[in-house]
Amino acid sequence: MQEFKDWKEFINRILIDSGQFENPITEFKGEAEIETFKSANKNSLTEIRVGYLKENLLIYLHIFNPTVPGYNKYVEGEYFYQYQFNEPAEYGNPALEFNERNRNGIISILEKGLKGKEVQFVKNDKILKSKLYIAESDSNFSYSYEFIKTGFWKKIFGQKIDKMDGIEKREIELNKIFSGIKNVLQQSI
């Protein structure tokens, strides 16, 4: 197995060598260094945003695409935890250490791509609400996100967005946003 000195080198090698992503744009936010990898496919809006902490720790790896605002909202506050890839998974401190178990966990995420779907409720080409179905164990479980401002009482007693006149329902398979990187192991390790 090829040796890598840190998360940054490891993830850069996988994403760039795949040919699916361009060299990243780097920025700093507080203690974190964030790299944004844009898709090499000019028709794709998918980006991968990776956050690193100084001690060679990986805080997050978010797949972002503006066509799925519900999924983006879901991952917005998601971070890795120290023992996330243990069997069984546990929490521990925030961020992943650079070790074989965690590298294999990240490879698995990048190979498999996204699973599930986002159902959007659209009116006049504006997404008002989306339901995100990503729980593999329960296909009926969903996360709901509303993208319009409504007061507390209107939310409780007002007409539900799903039932409004003129609502168009769109379904987006998340695998179409990011289907994974094929042959990760052969390409970079």
Side-chain angles (χ1 to χ4, degrees):
M1 172 160 121
Q2 186 174 348
E3 284 300 316
F4 296 96
K5 66 178 183 197
D6 59 21
W7 278 116
K8 191 172 179 177
E9 181 185 19
F10 178 73
I11 290 172
N12 270 263
R13 183 64 68 62
I14 291 172
L15 295 179
I16 295 166
D17 286 0
S18 74
Q20 290 178 241
F21 292 90
E22 298 173 346
N23 286 330
I25 296 165
T26 304
E27 63 182 302
F28 294 89
K29 288 186 181 174
E31 297 286 314
E33 179 179 355
I34 294 125
E35 289 189 316
T36 301
F37 297 84
K38 294 190 181 291
S39 176
N41 175 350
K42 298 302 176 202
N43 295 324
S44 173
L45 300 173
T46 298
E47 298 177 347
I48 294 183
R49 298 174 182 173
V50 185
Y52 310 97
L53 295 178
K54 287 179 185 168
E55 303 80 29
N56 192 19
L57 297 172
L58 180 66
I59 192 75
Y60 64 81
L61 188 147
H62 293 161
I63 297 159
F64 177 86
N65 188 300
T67 61
V68 285
Y71 181 77
N72 296 339
K73 199 80 169 148
Y74 171 76
V75 298
E76 193 174 87
E78 290 289 307
Y79 296 95
F80 291 123
Y81 289 93
Q82 184 176 7
Y83 304 115
Q84 184 149 353
F85 295 115
N86 283 15
E87 288 296 327
E90 299 174 38
Y91 283 102
N93 294 325
L96 293 173
E97 294 175 0
F98 188 66
N99 60 41
E100 186 176 358
R101 180 188 64 243
N102 291 337
R103 286 191 302 269
N104 289 336
I106 295 302
I107 286 171
S108 177
I109 290 169
L110 292 172
E111 276 185 323
K112 290 178 183 173
L114 298 178
K115 304 281 184 241
K117 67 182 176 183
E118 181 168 323
V119 177
Q120 301 173 342
F121 300 89
V122 182
K123 187 170 184 171
N124 301 328
D125 247 3
K126 185 176 179 184
I127 300 169
L128 304 181
K129 176 181 178 177
S130 75
K131 284 188 172 185
L132 188 61
Y133 296 88
I134 57 171
E136 292 180 27
S137 58
D138 183 357
S139 61
N140 292 320
F141 180 78
S142 68
Y143 298 92
S144 288
Y145 300 95
E146 290 189 11
F147 302 105
I148 57 171
K149 301 240 186 266
T150 55
F152 175 75
W153 294 111
K154 189 169 185 176
K155 240 181 205 178
I156 292 176
F157 296 112
Q159 186 178 25
K160 301 290 179 217
I161 291 173
D162 324 34
K163 309 288 185 222
M164 291 170 64
D165 288 336
I167 289 292
E168 173 193 345
K169 193 171 164 182
R170 289 185 200 154
E171 251 184 55
I172 298 175
E173 291 294 328
L174 295 176
N175 200 262
K176 298 226 185 306
I177 300 301
F178 180 65
S179 61
I181 294 174
K182 306 306 172 227
N183 304 317
V184 169
L185 294 171
Q186 289 76 27
Q187 288 176 179
S188 55
I189 296 178

